[in-house]
Amino acid sequence: MRLRDGTVVVALDVGGTGIKCALIRPDGAVVHSERHPTGAHRGAEAVVDTILTVAEGLAATARSAGLTPAALGIVVPGIVDQARGMVLWGANVGFRDVPLRKLAADRLGLPTALGHDVRAGGLAEARLGAGQDTEHLLFVAIGTGIAAAHVVAGTAATGAHGAAGEFGHILIRPGGPPCGCGRSGCLEAIASASAVARRYTDLAAAGPAVITAAEVAQRAAAGEELATRVWREAVEALADGLATGQALFDVETVVLGGGLAQAGPGLFDPLRSELRDRLTFHREPRLVPAALGDQAGCLGAALLALDQLEMS
Ligand SMILES: [Zn+2]
């Protein structure tokens, strides 16, 4: 399909607490953005209705600005069957077997793509962000949990069941701390931002009530003993996970995103060194911070929508 001047796609990145949305031009330029609360406590049906209403509002905003909304891209967390346009399961938003692509396409009358938030983020980093000019990339988002996207030649692998990239559930410490998935010793039970904060708080004798992973990183950088220990455990666990990732995928570039990746050299310097120690015959990947911040998911949603147009 040839895109006219003034063409935009409507992009939505649905998270557990907020929906990031934008109107995005085919070259990746964001011409308008909005945020809305997800209201996940209201249940799946209400969340779906909010998604559709917000998407409709964005399409109307585009038209009133003289732009032409040509397609819609929606990305969500959980297990997403991209080919069938179904959200099979989403813990944060309570989705189960929701045919979201069809619901949205019917309501807006636009070609619609449905994808997974982290895979879309990886796609955006690969095509527009820190992984440009890289054919083989692993994007790892470290926040409340840890998830990844393996992007090859501009396409993120979905897996046979829409569940590829559950990097946080690599078993790295058998018998270790309990994970939200029901098992013990998963990577995200040790190295996610929430795990780092929890571990520090648990070990601090007369510790502060609440401390974030970023504060643990700062205290570690300042030489505090307990923070240094907790941070080192997280970095070592991440290095174990990334070494496994490199054995599986043999990528050129690993892009780290999410809140924890903002720790800068305090994360990247020791992580590079620990990863190097764990690699034997595998080539060391370039390890870089994400470039698109929290816009990655929205940009990825737009790319999926544009890909859909190109195929039609
Ligand atoms: Zn797990």
Side-chain angles (χ1 to χ4, degrees), residues 22-123:
L23 297 171
I24 298 175
R25 284 207 310 248
D27 64 0
V30 176
V31 296
H32 172 81
S33 63
E34 292 176 13
R35 284 184 187 228
H36 299 267
T38 307
H41 62 278
R42 300 170 304 146
E45 212 169 304
V47 173
V48 168
D49 193 57
T50 298
I51 291 168
L52 301 181
T53 305
V54 165
E56 242 175 359
L58 280 156
T61 300
R63 289 190 186 101
S64 67
L67 302 166
T68 307
L72 167 64
I74 304 174
V75 301
V76 300
I79 300 178
V80 180
D81 185 336
Q82 194 171 315
R84 289 168 56 221
M86 301 274 295
V87 188
L88 303 181
W89 181 77
N92 293 335
V93 279
F95 288 163
R96 189 169 283 268
D97 296 328
V98 178
L100 190 54
R101 185 178 66 196
K102 183 177 185 329
L103 292 172
D106 287 352
R107 173 85 81 100
L108 273 80
L110 292 176
T112 301
L114 176 73
H116 177 266
D117 58 352
V118 174
R119 290 201 289 268
L123 192 67

Side-chain angles (χ1 to χ4, degrees), residues 4-302:
R4 296 185 302 137
D5 282 352
T7 295
V8 289
V9 293
V10 178
L12 278 81
D13 175 8
V14 181
T17 54
I19 305 174
K20 297 169 201 131
C21 351
L23 297 171
I24 298 175
R25 284 207 310 248
D27 64 0
V30 176
V31 296
H32 172 81
S33 63
E34 292 176 13
R35 284 184 187 228
H36 299 267
T38 307
H41 62 278
R42 300 170 304 146
E45 212 169 304
V47 173
V48 168
D49 193 57
T50 298
I51 291 168
L52 301 181
T53 305
V54 165
E56 242 175 359
L58 280 156
T61 300
R63 289 190 186 101
S64 67
L67 302 166
T68 307
L72 167 64
I74 304 174
V75 301
V76 300
I79 300 178
V80 180
D81 185 336
Q82 194 171 315
R84 289 168 56 221
M86 301 274 295
V87 188
L88 303 181
W89 181 77
N92 293 335
V93 279
F95 288 163
R96 189 169 283 268
D97 296 328
V98 178
L100 190 54
R101 185 178 66 196
K102 183 177 185 329
L103 292 172
D106 287 352
R107 173 85 81 100
L108 273 80
L110 292 176
T112 301
L114 176 73
H116 177 266
D117 58 352
V118 174
R119 290 201 289 268
L123 192 67
E125 288 290 348
R127 292 205 213 159
L128 306 168
Q132 281 186 73
D133 308 319
T134 299
E135 281 285 290
H136 299 265
L137 173 140
L138 186 69
F139 172 65
V140 182
I142 311 168
T144 317
I146 298 178
H150 180 215
V151 185
V152 179
T155 302
T158 63
H161 312 96
E166 291 292 346
F167 205 72
H169 301 287
I170 295 176
L171 178 61
I172 53 153
R173 300 283 183 270
C179 178
C181 75
R183 200 173 58 177
S184 292
C186 292
L187 177 59
E188 75 176 38
I190 298 153
S192 66
S194 39
V196 167
R198 191 171 51 238
R199 177 88 171 135
Y200 183 90
T201 308
D202 285 352
L203 291 177
V210 179
I211 182 166
T212 65
E215 286 164 337
V216 176
Q218 282 162 11
R219 289 175 190 216
E224 190 202 288
E225 199 175 323
L226 177 58
T228 302
R229 177 181 152 197
V230 171
W231 190 247
R232 193 178 58 235
E233 285 173 4
V235 167
E236 287 173 355
L238 277 175
D240 285 338
L242 291 178
T244 299
Q246 192 62 0
L248 289 171
F249 302 128
D250 180 32
V251 295
E252 296 161 74
T253 304
V254 173
V255 177
L256 295 187
L260 209 69
Q262 287 164 13
L267 173 67
F268 283 85
D269 291 351
L271 187 54
R272 277 192 195 100
S273 157
E274 291 291 333
L275 176 58
R276 193 171 300 139
D277 287 349
R278 285 160 173 75
L279 298 174
T280 55
F281 61 91
H282 289 104
R283 294 279 291 274
E284 185 182 339
R286 204 162 61 94
L287 191 60
V288 295
L292 303 174
D294 70 357
Q295 273 199 326
C298 234
L299 287 164

